[in-house]
């Protein structure tokens, strides 16, 4: 299950169709990152370059040149090197870039300073994401300045830079059928992992042991890496939105919040579930949980073409504020509390974000100052939550230290929406029933 060469070609064609005549687009590969003295982080390709080509190696630069006589897709990449390949693995080389990845022309990356200025010369516009990589920014300007230095000899440097991200990221925002198949699969793998963690959980287990269960399920299904740092927060740790230490012992009577998703073929899943360590919700935990679940259902119901991006968030704010008032955590009129943002003490983040090649994927949320309207093919998370800080002395002690978030991945369809991650339980009775299968004495 992969994106085909034909789809990568359609993506390049779609981007070039919105580029001005006589222009060039330049996209560099992600740099390799050092982890420690003699080791590097696993390489993960830049999402933009991957989207346009599927080329997986570092040390590469992609150029798109609409109307170029000798081919519009040019790729610079590392040359074949049998000695380095013994140590570091296979390289496609320029020949493989053409044969395996559809490049019209390919050159060794070591020759880019000699060749790319010639491709830039005579082009009126350069499409490039300036500011993303400072070192490569300098390299691009060096190429342009080398042309400017030859103006008296008749050279014609580019006269305008355009932000490539504005055009490319709009294309990435609408997912194709093939992309949605990959994202459904990533969602299914991640759902199985969350269910596995629920079954494994019991008092005395370490947070990192649940993390290990999740990652094992990811890898065994072909998703070697998580899409982001896995969060396993037991008890008060669930009130820390980006808690990743995952080092505490899980205690009976506490909840555990898991925010985790795999990356499959570079596409991300993003799921959060909150459940009781001992398999049974306390009355206070269940009361807060029910309101978060109600808010999520209400938000998902607002996801359909024509509704604006912020509508699900607005609905989640109203439902959660109503719940906080009913439970006595806030006092006052709901409309006034919303206007004053009193809910932010307990619900301080938005209801979701775009999802795709990046877990916080690209795409504008507003256009000309107005919330963007939802369209079929957009994928977003829906993740309302309530967090009662353990040191919040303005509320009764029974509520303190409870953190709850429920998150699913949702695609906008022609008729409404589809939940990509519904295979993992979130109804409290279903969670308790699943956990009862593995709890001691069951």
């Amino acid at each position: 299950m992969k994106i085909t060469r034909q789809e990568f070609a359609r993506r390049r064609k779609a981007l070039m169709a919105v580029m001005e005549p006589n222009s060039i687009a330049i996209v560099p590969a992600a740099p390799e990152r050092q982890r420690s003295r003699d080791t590097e982080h696993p390489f993960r390709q830049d999402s933009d370059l991957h989207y346009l080509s599927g080329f997986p190696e570092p040390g590469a630069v992609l150029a798109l040149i609409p109307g170029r006589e000798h081919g519009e897709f040019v790729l610079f990449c590392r040359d074949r090197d049998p000695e380095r390949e013994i140590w570091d693995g296979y390289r496609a080389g320029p020949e493989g870039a053409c044969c395996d990845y559809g490049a019209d022309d390919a050159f060794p990356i070591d020759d880019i300073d000699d060749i790319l200025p010639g491709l830039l010369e005579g082009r009126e516009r350069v499409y490039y994401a300036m500011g993303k990589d400072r070192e490569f920014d300098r390299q691009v300007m060096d190429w342009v300045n080398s042309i400017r230095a030859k103006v008296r000899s008749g050279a014609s440097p580019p006269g305008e830079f355009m932000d490539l991200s504005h055009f490319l990221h709009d294309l990435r925002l609408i997912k194709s059928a093939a992309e949605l198949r990959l994202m459904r699969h990533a969602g299914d793998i991640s759902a199985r992992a969350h269910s596995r963690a629920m079954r494994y959980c019991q008092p005395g287990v370490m947070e990192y042991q649940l993390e290990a269960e999740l990652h094992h399920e990811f890898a065994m299904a072909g998703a070697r890496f998580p899409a982001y740092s896995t969060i396993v927060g037991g008890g008060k740790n669930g009130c820390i939105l980006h808690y990743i230490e995952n080092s505490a012992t899980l205690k009976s009577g506490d909840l555990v919040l898991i925010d985790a998703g795999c990356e499959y073929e570079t596409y991300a899943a993003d799921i959060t579930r909150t459940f009781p360590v001992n398999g049974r919700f306390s009355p206070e935990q269940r009361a807060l949980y029910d309101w978060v679940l109600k808010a999520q259902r209400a938000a998902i119901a607002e996801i359909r073409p024509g509704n604006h991006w912020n509508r699900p968030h607005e609905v989640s704010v109203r439902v959660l504020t109503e719940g906080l008032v009913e439970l006595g955590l806030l006092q006052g009129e709901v409309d006034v509390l919303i206007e004053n943002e009193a809910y932010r003490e307990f619900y301080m983040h938005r209801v979701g974000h775009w999802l795709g090649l990046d877990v916080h994927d690209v795409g504008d949320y507003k256009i000309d100052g107005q919330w963007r309207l939802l369209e079929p093919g957009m994928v977003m998370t829906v993740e309302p939550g309530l967090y009662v800080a353990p040191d919040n002395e303005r509320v009764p002690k029974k509520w303190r230290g409870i953190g709850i978030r429920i998150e699913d991945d949702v695609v906008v369809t022609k008729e409404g929406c589809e939940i990509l991650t519904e295979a993992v339980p979130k109804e409290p009775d279903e969670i308790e029933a699943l956990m009862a299968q593995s709890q001691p004495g069951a």
Side-chain angles (χ1 to χ4, degrees):
M1 188 185 300
K2 293 179 180 291
I3 301 297
T4 64
R5 280 182 56 175
Q6 290 77 15
E7 176 153 337
F8 285 121
R10 286 196 295 271
R11 294 171 178 179
R12 294 191 295 270
K13 184 177 181 180
L15 177 60
M16 288 189 286
V18 299
M19 293 168 59
E20 295 286 342
N22 198 29
S23 61
I24 181 172
I26 300 173
V27 184
E32 293 180 287
R33 300 293 187 186
Q34 187 171 341
R35 182 181 184 275
S36 60
R37 182 170 179 267
D38 58 354
T39 62
E40 294 175 338
H41 287 285
F43 179 73
R44 202 273 193 187
Q45 186 57 280
D46 174 80
S47 293
D48 287 340
L49 190 144
H50 172 82
Y51 180 80
L52 293 169
S53 69
F55 192 73
E57 298 180 20
V61 174
L62 176 151
L64 295 180
I65 313 169
R68 178 173 176 261
E69 182 180 354
H70 300 294
E72 297 176 318
F73 172 25
V74 179
L75 192 63
F76 295 86
C77 62
R78 300 176 304 179
D79 216 344
R80 296 294 306 275
D81 185 336
E83 183 175 348
R84 289 313 314 165
E85 289 179 48
I86 290 173
W87 290 92
D88 302 327
Y90 172 78
R91 297 180 178 184
E95 183 178 347
C98 295
C99 294
D100 300 332
Y101 297 95
D104 297 312
D105 258 337
F107 305 98
I109 191 68
D110 290 342
D111 295 341
I112 194 168
D113 289 338
D114 298 324
I115 297 173
L116 193 53
L119 300 177
L120 285 165
E121 203 275 328
R123 300 286 160 184
E124 294 179 14
R125 294 173 185 83
V126 178
Y127 289 83
Y128 172 66
M130 189 70 71
K132 187 175 179 181
D133 182 333
R134 185 175 298 178
E135 184 176 342
F136 196 78
D137 289 351
R138 287 197 296 268
Q139 196 168 5
V140 171
M141 293 313 302
D142 285 345
W143 294 327
V144 172
N145 288 332
S146 71
I147 302 170
R148 288 172 176 166
K150 301 175 183 177
V151 168
R152 291 185 179 181
S153 302
S156 176
E160 185 178 8
F161 275 80
M162 301 286 285
D163 182 17
L164 176 65
S165 300
H166 174 74
F167 302 93
L168 178 54
H169 293 175
D170 251 23
L171 296 176
R172 282 179 53 186
L173 180 58
I174 307 297
K175 273 55 177 183
S176 68
E179 288 179 292
L180 291 175
R181 283 195 293 272
L182 292 175
M183 295 188 73
R184 285 190 191 95
H185 194 56
D188 287 342
I189 294 169
S190 302
R192 294 199 301 271
H194 277 262
S195 295
R196 177 185 179 122
M198 289 180 187
R199 289 192 298 268
Y200 184 84
C201 185
Q202 59 182 286
V205 166
M206 304 298 292
E207 291 170 342
Y208 59 73
Q209 290 178 301
L210 290 190
E211 179 182 29
E213 293 292 317
L214 293 155
H215 291 188
H216 180 271
E217 190 70 30
F218 293 168
M220 290 298 288
R224 185 180 170 198
F225 299 108
Y228 52 95
S229 297
T230 295
I231 295 168
V232 182
K236 64 181 182 180
N237 294 335
C239 296
I240 303 171
L241 299 184
H242 292 158
Y243 173 81
I244 58 172
E245 285 81 358
N246 301 349
S247 59
T249 303
L250 299 174
K251 299 175 183 178
S252 183
D254 282 347
L255 296 175
V256 57
L257 184 156
I258 294 181
D259 189 338
C262 73
E263 182 176 275
Y264 183 78
E265 291 294 327
T266 68
Y267 284 87
D270 188 359
I271 301 176
T272 305
R273 291 293 186 267
T274 310
F275 53 91
V277 171
N278 62 15
R280 301 289 296 180
F281 288 94
S282 73
E284 290 77 23
Q285 293 166 352
R286 177 68 180 259
L288 283 173
Y289 189 95
D290 285 345
W291 278 105
V292 175
L293 184 57
K294 184 177 180 180
Q296 198 209 31
R297 288 178 182 145
I300 291 174
E302 296 297 322
I303 298 176
R304 57 182 178 272
N307 272 7
H308 64 71
W309 158 261
N310 203 47
R311 180 61 183 159
H313 181 69
E314 292 170 348
V315 169
S316 74
V317 166
R318 176 161 294 276
V319 172
L320 291 178
T321 304
E322 290 172 353
L324 290 165
V325 170
E326 181 170 305
L327 297 175
L329 292 165
L330 286 177
Q331 288 78 39
E333 295 293 329
V334 170
D335 288 342
V336 175
L337 293 169
I338 292 174
E339 184 178 355
N340 295 333
E341 298 188 335
Y343 61 87
R344 288 184 61 83
E345 181 179 1
F346 305 99
Y347 178 35
M348 60 291 295
H349 58 78
R350 299 192 59 79
V351 83
H353 52 78
W354 301 130
L355 184 72
L357 286 171
D358 296 302
V359 68
H360 284 252
D361 206 28
V362 296
D364 293 331
Y365 294 101
K366 285 186 173 183
I367 297 177
D368 296 329
Q370 301 297 314
W371 291 112
R372 186 171 203 144
L373 297 182
L374 299 178
E375 301 176 44
M378 294 176 172
V379 182
M380 58 193 292
T381 65
V382 183
E383 49 181 307
L386 287 174
Y387 316 87
V388 186
D391 59 353
N392 188 343
E393 297 183 356
R394 293 181 296 280
V395 302
K397 188 175 181 180
K398 64 181 181 178
W399 301 110
R400 298 174 197 167
I402 298 178
I404 297 169
R405 184 164 65 253
I406 305 171
E407 177 182 21
D408 283 294
D409 305 340
V410 181
V411 56
V412 184
T413 64
K414 291 181 180 179
E415 297 79 22
C417 66
E418 173 193 350
I419 302 174
L420 302 178
T421 50
E422 60 184 352
V424 55
K426 61 183 175 183
E427 295 290 339
D429 291 342
E430 292 178 357
I431 290 172
E432 290 183 345
L434 176 64
M435 295 186 71
Q437 298 173 13
S438 302
Q439 291 291 324

